[in-house]
Amino acid sequence: MKWMEFPREILIGKNVLNKVPDVLSKLKINQKVLLVTGKNTVDVAGKQIREMIETAGGVCEICVCEKASYEEVDKITETGKAFEADCFLGVGSGRSIDLAKLSSKNCDVPFISIPTAASHDGIVSARASIHSDGKSESVEAQAPIAVIADTEIISRAPFKLLAAGCGDVISNYTSVLDWELASRHQNESFSRSAAMMAYMSADMISNSANLIRPGLESSARIAVKALVLSGAAMSVAGSSRPASGAEHMFSHALDRLAKKPALHGEQCAVGSIMMMYLHGGDWQKIRDSLRQIGAPTTAAEMGISNDEIIEALLRAHTIRPERYTILGSGLTPSAAEKMAVVTEVITE
Ligand SMILES: [Zn+2]
C-alpha cells in the first residue's frame, strides 16, 4: 500500500496572508484556532492573522514560543487541548511551524503552515526538527493541510534565510543520487516520479540562480515554489528520501558537533557540493549556483572550522545508519580531507 499525504490548499503570492479566513472557511475549520508563533513573527504576521480570524467570527489564541523543544511541544499541546482548538496555525520561519506541526498531531487536529521566511523545506513537509539535549532531531509529525506563503512577507525576511532555503532545495541533487544508489545496491524501494520532482525542484533553483536577489518578491516566489515541489516529492515518496541524503547527514553531524552550527540549508548545500564530488558528478555547478545566489560555499563563510567539517564528514554515515548513501560505511580521514580541499570547502 502507498499512503501519500498532501496539503489540500497551497497559496503562494503577494498578500495571500489576507486569505487565511477564506482558507479556514473552505476547510470548515474556522471555529477555534491556536496560532503558534515566535516573538518577532507575532508582530510580522501573527496579530494580523488573529484580527482577520476574529473579524470573520472565529476565535484565535496566540501561543508565542521560544525554542523548538519537547517541553515546548508539550506546553502547546496542553494549551491546544484546554482551548479545544480545531486547527493549529504555524506562523514563522522554522521553529513555530515545527512546533505547530507536532503539537497539532498530538491534539489530532490539522495544521496550516504560514511561513514568514523560506529557509528550509520543513515549511511543507511532514517532518519536524526538535531540539533535545543540545541535539536537533528530525521526527515524523504530519503534513500541513494548507500552506499559505505570502511572498511579500517572505521577501522582507533576512536574505540569508531565503538563500539557505535555496541551498536546501539544491541539495536534492545529491539526495536523489543517494536514493538511486540505495535502490541499486540495496534494492530499496524507489519512486521515479518522486525522484524527478525532487530533481526538478533543484533545477528550478539552479536555473534561476541569477534571478534570486535580496528583497525581491519574485525571488521569494521562485524559492517557495521549489520548496513546495520538493515537499511534494517527499509526499509522493512517503519519506524524506528524495530530499535528504548524505549531505543532510553531514548537516545533522555539524548540528551536533559544531560550536556554532550554520543554517540547515547552508550546511546541506555545502555538504551537497562535497557529496556530488564523491558521486563523480558536476559539483562545480552546485557551487556556482550557490555563489550566484549568495549562499555560503566554504567552511569559513559558514563560520565553521576546518576540523569541524572533517569531523562531521567522518561521523555523517553514523547519523542515520539505515539510510544508505554514497558515504557507505564511512570515509577515511584522508579521503574526507581530500574531498573538502578539492571542492574548496576548506583551505589547507
Ligand atoms: Zn533539508
Side-chain angles (χ1 to χ4, degrees):
M1 186 190 74
K2 208 162 160 97
W3 189 316
M4 300 183 221
E5 205 185 8
F6 289 95
R8 264 178 59 185
E9 316 288 333
I10 298 178
L11 282 73
I12 303 169
K14 223 172 169 173
N15 302 324
V16 292
L17 198 69
N18 298 331
K19 300 287 180 202
V20 171
D22 294 348
V23 171
L24 286 171
S25 129
K26 196 167 174 214
L27 296 169
K28 302 194 176 7
I29 42 174
N30 56 341
Q31 291 306 308
K32 283 189 157 187
V33 178
L34 186 70
L35 191 156
V36 182
T37 190
K39 58 181 192 311
N40 296 322
T41 45
V42 69
D43 291 321
V44 172
K47 289 176 184 163
Q48 195 188 333
I49 294 172
R50 180 173 62 186
E51 214 179 291
M52 287 190 286
I53 291 172
E54 288 176 349
T55 307
V59 188
C60 176
E61 190 162 309
I62 293 185
C63 231
V64 178
C65 53
E66 289 279 313
K67 55 177 187 201
S69 64
Y70 285 109
E71 296 77 56
E72 201 79 9
V73 171
D74 290 343
K75 223 171 77 189
I76 300 166
T77 303
E78 285 313 310
T79 309
K81 282 183 179 160
F83 179 55
E84 295 178 331
D86 52 16
C87 180
F88 281 51
L89 306 183
V91 180
S93 48
R95 198 188 323 132
S96 309
I97 291 172
D98 282 337
L99 287 168
K101 200 182 277 184
L102 209 51
S103 44
S104 62
K105 190 195 178 203
N106 292 344
C107 291
D108 201 20
V109 294
F111 101 99
I112 297 180
S113 170
I114 308 182
T116 55
S119 58
H120 56 79
D121 58 19
I123 59 173
V124 278
S125 78
R127 291 190 84 82
S129 166
I130 302 290
H131 291 276
S132 170
D133 298 330
K135 295 178 204 158
S136 93
E137 271 177 25
S138 168
V139 289
E140 193 64 30
Q142 63 174 346
I145 191 163
V147 180
I148 302 174
D150 193 314
T151 44
E152 182 66 36
I153 291 177
I154 292 170
S155 69
R156 288 200 297 261
F159 182 68
K160 187 181 160 69
L161 298 175
L162 191 81
C166 292
D168 198 17
V169 178
I170 283 186
S171 81
N172 287 359
Y173 279 133
T174 46
S175 318
V176 168
L177 287 178
D178 279 333
W179 194 15
E180 280 175 346
L181 199 67
S183 99
R184 284 200 301 272
H185 288 196
Q186 307 218 312
N187 203 24
E188 190 181 308
S189 79
F190 177 80
S191 156
R192 172 83 30 211
S193 43
M196 280 179 73
M197 286 161 80
Y199 188 89
M200 223 159 80
S201 63
D203 257 357
M204 272 166 76
I205 297 294
S206 184
N207 295 341
S208 320
N210 60 334
L211 302 174
I212 296 167
R213 293 282 164 270
L216 290 184
E217 190 266 332
S218 55
S219 303
R221 200 178 281 252
I222 295 169
V224 170
K225 278 188 187 166
L227 287 165
V228 166
L229 183 59
S230 183
M234 290 189 266
S235 291
V236 170
S239 80
S240 62
R241 227 344 171 165
S244 173
E247 73 300 318
H248 269 66
M249 282 149 54
F250 163 75
S251 169
H252 293 313
L254 275 179
D255 285 340
R256 292 181 190 188
L257 65 88
K259 263 201 230 82
K260 204 174 168 294
L263 294 171
H264 168 82
E266 295 177 333
Q267 295 181 162
C268 292
V270 169
S272 194
I273 299 174
M274 294 187 283
M275 300 311 159
M276 188 55 102
Y277 166 80
L278 279 192
H279 275 287
D282 190 355
W283 58 268
Q284 291 93 338
K285 182 185 165 193
I286 297 180
R287 181 198 57 191
D288 295 347
S289 298
L290 293 168
R291 274 188 187 158
Q292 227 172 359
I293 292 166
T297 60
T298 66
E301 283 168 1
M302 290 196 293
I304 287 174
S305 74
N306 289 0
D307 289 346
E308 287 170 333
I309 294 283
I310 302 295
E311 194 53 36
L313 284 172
L314 294 176
R315 277 201 226 168
H317 70 287
T318 65
I319 298 289
R320 214 170 164 175
E322 77 288 359
R323 184 158 283 189
Y324 187 82
T325 69
I326 189 74
L327 292 172
S329 54
L331 303 168
T332 63
S334 63
E337 191 179 345
K338 186 180 170 197
M339 68 194 272
V341 169
V342 172
T343 53
E344 294 166 18
V345 169
I346 67 172
T347 36
E348 272 174 302

